[in-house]
Amino acid sequence: QICLARKTNFTDMAFEVQMSLLGGDAGGILLRATTSASYYFRISSTGYYTLFLCAATGTLCNKPLLSSFSGQIKQGLHQSNVIAVVARGKLIELYVNDERISSINDGSSSSGQIGLVAEVGSEVVFSHARVWTA
């Protein structure tokens, strides 16, 4: 369940949103989404995060590039987390609650749309979305 900002096309950018998981397992940010590839930064209610490389616009997100536990993620339902991604060239940096938790160099998708994701069976509230270019 993806909500895309279809008329966007960002290359070097920062995308931040406040996310509260009300039910289910996870949700997150989609970035650099095109018809051939995209990235999905996912956080779960159990404190784990994953950055996936997806085929097409958020479909078939089965290639994890990064995956780990982070103490920065407030665990459980009804917890508010500010998640962000900074993408500059091939460098992708992941942030939770204003702390950088990981980064990777990957050039699979260099520009594209942004969006928000509520995974199947999950209820997610997003607010205070901000995007800016570098």
Side-chain angles (χ1 to χ4, degrees):
Q1 301 174 348
I2 300 168
C3 179
L4 275 178
R6 296 196 184 276
K7 294 191 178 193
T8 60
N9 186 21
F10 292 102
T11 302
D12 292 347
M13 48 79 78
F15 182 24
E16 175 184 270
V17 68
Q18 186 173 341
M19 176 182 147
S20 296
L21 189 61
L22 303 182
D25 297 322
I29 292 175
L30 194 70
L31 69 146
R32 291 184 171 176
T34 67
T35 56
S36 59
S38 60
Y39 296 102
Y40 171 36
F41 174 35
R42 170 195 198 266
I43 68 167
S44 75
S45 62
T46 58
Y48 286 86
Y49 69 89
T50 306
L51 178 67
F52 288 99
L53 175 61
C54 308
T57 309
T59 59
L60 300 172
C61 295
N62 58 4
K63 183 177 180 187
L65 300 175
L66 295 168
S67 187
S68 189
F69 175 84
S70 174
Q72 283 300 116
I73 299 171
K74 295 177 190 169
Q75 297 180 48
L77 299 178
H78 303 279
Q79 297 295 319
S80 178
N81 286 287
V82 177
I83 61 173
V85 176
V86 176
R88 286 182 300 240
K90 292 182 179 184
L91 179 63
I92 300 171
E93 298 173 294
L94 308 178
Y95 292 82
V96 174
N97 298 320
D98 299 320
E99 293 290 328
R100 190 176 105 160
I101 60 169
S102 196
S103 65
I104 191 170
N105 281 296
D106 186 88
S108 299
S109 186
S110 59
S111 66
Q113 299 169 333
I114 58 172
L116 302 171
V117 178
E119 292 193 0
V120 174
S122 294
E123 184 179 354
V124 185
V125 173
F126 295 99
S127 59
H128 307 295
R130 300 186 314 153
V131 63
W132 56 99
T133 57

